[in-house]
Amino acid sequence: PPSESQRSIASTDTSNSNSPAPAAAQTSPAAAAAAAAGPAKAEDGARDILNTKAQIKVGRILSAEPLPNSAKLLKMRVDLGNEDTRQVMAGLAQYIKPGDLANRLVCVVSNLKPAKLAGEPSEAMVLAAEAVGPANKLNVYTLIPPEGSQPGDLIHLDGVTPPETYPKVMKPDVWRKVVPGLTVQGGKVRKYMIIIIFV
């Protein structure tokens, strides 16, 4: 069983489509077909990055507010445990009300190289999922950490032993290699795709 500080990403039901998406990571059908048809070096490389380089932690959103110079970005303060509070810019303004994010637990890539967005520093990345709803409306949800999680807990793939240490800084182009092969599943919406929401 996972320790209090290390929890695996696991699939759960999301029959309530208004709820945040459960955290999960699985190979997409397209990637699985490609693997069956031939070598899967790209997929294996992406999985290796996710397993060994991307440090994903549980965070608690302390505050979220819109930016006057951006229709897409929200400025958030996120508690990552151990007195580590960071400013994170996230492209959620068109999908989630700032007030609905307060005190929410989320999954955060904590070692991504800091960047500036709309003139504001962003010191991590909040993971989210997207799904097309009725009338082809795109819905975006933050990922739910496993039950019982607390800020600062490490998140990793189910069945994988996490490394003892992660790189201090991971460049965005390294993370982009992971994104296409990740999905989460559950409930009425058959599939969500993990997306980079501020890079």
Side-chain angles (χ1 to χ4, degrees):
S3 68
E4 290 185 0
S5 61
Q6 292 184 347
R7 300 181 183 276
S8 63
I9 295 175
S11 178
T12 57
D13 181 62
T14 55
S15 55
N16 180 0
S17 61
N18 291 322
S19 299
Q26 299 177 345
T27 303
S28 66
K41 292 182 180 180
E43 180 185 336
D44 290 343
R47 183 173 290 272
D48 180 67
I49 291 170
L50 185 65
N51 292 341
T52 64
K53 296 183 180 181
Q55 185 179 61
I56 302 176
K57 288 185 177 182
V58 176
R60 185 185 300 278
I61 298 176
L62 302 177
S63 65
E65 59 183 88
L67 285 180
N69 60 339
S70 174
K72 297 180 179 180
L73 293 173
L74 293 178
K75 181 169 71 173
M76 303 186 296
R77 289 177 58 247
V78 182
D79 174 17
L80 293 179
N82 299 312
E83 299 183 352
D84 183 7
T85 300
R86 303 192 196 179
Q87 178 169 294
V88 180
M89 308 298 293
L92 296 173
Q94 296 174 307
Y95 306 103
I96 305 176
K97 296 178 181 178
D100 292 340
L101 289 168
N103 208 39
R104 181 179 293 188
L105 288 177
V106 291
C107 299
V108 178
V109 182
S110 61
N111 64 339
L112 192 69
K113 184 178 179 180
K116 270 198 171 184
L117 298 167
E120 294 278 354
S122 190
E123 301 168 314
M125 173 190 291
V126 172
L127 292 178
E130 65 180 14
V132 178
N136 290 322
K137 179 184 177 182
L138 180 65
N139 298 310
V140 174
Y141 311 85
T142 56
L143 269 66
I144 302 173
E147 185 176 355
S149 296
Q150 296 296 325
D153 286 353
L154 289 173
I155 302 290
H156 60 87
L157 286 174
D158 193 21
V160 171
T161 301
E164 292 184 6
T165 60
Y166 290 89
K168 187 175 181 179
V169 177
M170 181 179 62
K171 294 181 178 180
D173 60 339
V174 175
W175 174 250
R176 289 189 185 102
K177 296 177 182 178
V178 177
V179 178
L182 298 181
T183 64
V184 295
Q185 296 178 330
K188 295 180 179 179
V189 180
R190 291 183 301 168
K191 181 172 63 179
Y192 299 87
M193 178 176 290
I194 293 176
I195 57 171
I196 297 177
I197 58 177
F198 74 78
V199 172

